[in-house]
Amino acid sequence: EKLLIATCIAACLLSLFDSLLPGSPRNKPQMSIPLSESLKSELQAVAARLATNGKGLLAADESTSTIGKRFEKAGLKNEEEERRAYRELYMTSPGIGQYISGVIMFKETLYQKTSAGKPFVECLREQGVEAGIKVDEGLQALATGLEGETWTKGLENLAAAAKEYKAAGATFAKWRAVLRVQPGGPSDAAVLRNAQELAEYAATCQAAGLVPVVEPEVLIDGDHDIVRFREVTERVVAEVVNQMWQKGVFLEGSLLKPQMVIPGTTCPSGKASPQEIAYHTVTAMRRVVPAAMPGIMFLSGGQTEEEATVNMNAINIAAKEMGRCPWSLSFSFGRALQHSALQLWAKDHAKAPEAKKLFLAVASVNSAACVGKYNTSDGPHPSAASVESLYEGNRGHY
């Protein structure tokens, strides 16, 4: 009996040692089911359209609770019809396809229609705009991480949901993970868990025919400086890319949605210049993002509408000057595209046409910024009347 126990222990130890060897089958990537060549071609074509130079994404995927908070500040009721009418502003803006390549929607919005009965998805398709869907189901506390660290739920039913969204007209999806810059953090556990989930999400969506927008958001909350933020960004994005490779994600049919590299909101040295932000952002992306990915769509993360545009412009100028930047460097903005239009519409719904024009004006300057051609000498930013901060603390809540 003792000999049997000793033999079992030895076998377990040998198995463990074998799994740690670089060439061990146990240590090789856990690949997903291979995609067909026709599906790869479809995914690559959609990703390329989303990453078209001079166009970006409208992130109109706020959850019911999140849009409720913004409605409350604007003096609006958080009711389904109010939300539908508000979303209609963007879905029916004439000329949206000139500046916006895709719109990320919340599940409720994906199935909504205009007041005249036309599906939002159809409105977008007619203007050459791809319909996207937020598929994650929010954040949960990470028991093995540091205080406040999270993981994102939603993988359990994602395969079935992705097929449903594809049938409803969606061509791409988005999943948000959140990492925090803090003493000793983000922890290894948080970085790995969130990277694995993003990779699993990406592979699952591609199998269903949806291009995954991969969003590892590093929060700007904290007193860290811009160098510390860049180091965390590089570490997080590198692990996400590593996990995507291990999962067999088709990189040419995916997009990355990171935060721009900026100092923490309470950094003692204050805000960085657009040129500093651009340098550190481009440096980080060049170090960790493969050339195979067609586009990097930056989130605005609490910057004012004008700050987001100016920094987006500086990033593209820096990319041209620094070289070796093979991707489209664009935007996936929510508040930085919608805030001024929401304020105008909230005061008087009869001003919907004016709100649409304002939204398009903001979209147009961001379109120019995507190719480094936004020029402040051409006149004030369209949102100049609204310079309030769009920062929302604790965006990593669960």
Side-chain angles (χ1 to χ4, degrees):
E1 183 175 322
K2 290 182 178 179
L3 179 60
L4 177 62
I5 293 174
T7 301
C8 290
I9 292 174
C12 289
L13 289 174
L14 284 172
S15 177
L16 176 61
F17 178 75
D18 176 62
S19 70
L20 296 175
L21 293 175
S24 169
R26 298 173 183 269
N27 201 36
K28 289 183 178 179
Q30 299 299 307
M31 309 295 278
S32 298
I33 298 174
L35 304 175
S36 67
E37 289 305 313
S38 61
L39 182 52
K40 283 184 177 181
S41 295
E42 178 187 336
L43 292 169
Q44 187 168 1
V46 172
R49 289 198 295 271
L50 291 170
T52 298
N53 283 334
K55 295 185 181 183
L57 306 181
L58 167 61
D61 60 332
E62 300 92 343
S63 66
T64 302
S65 60
T66 298
I67 197 66
K69 295 173 184 176
R70 294 171 190 170
F71 271 17
E72 183 179 2
K73 290 181 180 178
L76 300 172
K77 292 183 179 180
N78 188 16
E79 299 174 345
E80 183 177 356
E81 174 54 26
E82 193 83 327
R83 294 192 298 271
R84 188 210 61 77
Y86 172 60
R87 299 301 192 198
E88 185 174 340
L89 281 177
Y90 306 105
M91 309 304 168
T92 60
S93 289
I96 184 177
Q98 291 180 261
Y99 317 114
I100 303 297
S101 57
V103 177
I104 310 170
M105 294 179 274
F106 191 58
K107 182 177 180 180
E108 174 185 79
T109 315
L110 181 67
Y111 297 96
Q112 287 178 328
K113 302 177 180 179
T114 66
S115 56
K118 179 180 285 190
F120 285 164
V121 172
E122 188 176 329
C123 293
L124 295 175
R125 187 185 298 120
E126 289 178 353
Q127 297 211 59
V129 180
E130 305 288 334
I133 178 72
K134 165 189 164 72
V135 296
D136 68 81
E137 298 177 358
L139 307 175
Q140 296 289 300
L142 181 62
T144 57
L146 300 174
E147 182 178 358
E149 291 191 318
T150 58
W151 60 279
T152 307
K153 62 180 179 179
L155 285 176
E156 185 176 350
N157 302 311
L158 180 58
K163 292 179 182 178
E164 175 190 326
Y165 299 145
K166 175 70 173 177
T171 58
F172 73 104
K174 191 211 78 170
W175 178 287
R176 175 178 178 252
V178 170
L179 287 304
R180 295 172 178 272
V181 182
Q182 56 182 304
S187 67
D188 290 343
V191 173
L192 181 60
R193 174 70 178 269
N194 283 286
Q196 289 175 332
E197 289 173 346
L198 283 165
E200 180 70 27
Y201 139 77
T204 301
C205 282
Q206 287 189 334
L210 297 176
V211 168
V213 175
V214 177
E215 181 180 0
E217 179 179 358
V218 180
L219 297 177
I220 61 175
D221 307 62
D223 61 0
H224 50 275
D225 63 20
I226 196 168
V227 173
R228 169 83 168 120
F229 196 92
R230 189 194 73 214
E231 292 169 348
V232 171
T233 296
E234 291 172 3
R235 176 184 165 209
V236 167
V237 175
E239 187 58 43
V240 169
V241 171
N242 174 47
Q243 292 299 324
M244 290 174 71
W245 172 79
Q246 293 201 44
K247 198 64 185 175
V249 174
F250 179 51
L251 297 181
E252 290 85 346
S254 63
L255 298 171
L256 182 68
K257 180 178 176 176
Q259 172 68 275
M260 296 179 191
V261 177
I262 56 181
T265 53
T266 56
C267 177
S269 60
K271 292 184 177 182
S273 69
Q275 291 70 33
E276 288 177 290
I277 291 170
Y279 170 77
H280 288 286
T281 300
V282 172
T283 296
M285 297 302 105
R286 290 200 311 178
R287 288 177 175 175
V288 294
V289 182
M293 298 187 81
I296 301 175
M297 324 300 280
F298 292 100
L299 58 95
S300 54
Q303 301 175 74
T304 68
E305 291 164 293
E306 184 169 9
E307 285 174 341
T309 304
V310 171
N311 290 333
M312 184 81 264
N313 191 66
I315 286 171
N316 276 281
I317 291 175
K320 292 175 183 177
E321 293 175 347
M322 295 169 69
R324 293 183 290 116
C325 296
W327 341 267
S328 169
L329 296 172
S330 187
F331 60 87
S332 179
F333 292 167
R335 288 162 290 164
L337 283 173
Q338 302 177 65
H339 182 70
S340 290
L342 171 58
Q343 300 307 307
L344 178 59
W345 181 77
K347 294 175 182 177
D348 184 356
H349 287 10
K351 291 187 176 180
E354 290 88 340
K356 289 181 180 183
K357 289 180 181 179
L358 180 54
F359 159 65
L360 291 172
V362 175
S364 69
V365 294
N366 282 293
S367 171
C370 287
V371 290
K373 292 185 178 180
Y374 171 65
N375 194 334
T376 54
S377 64
D378 292 338
H381 193 274
S383 66
S386 176
V387 294
E388 63 185 279
S389 171
L390 302 183
Y391 169 67
E392 294 177 341
N394 199 30
R395 274 175 47 78
H397 67 279
Y398 45 85

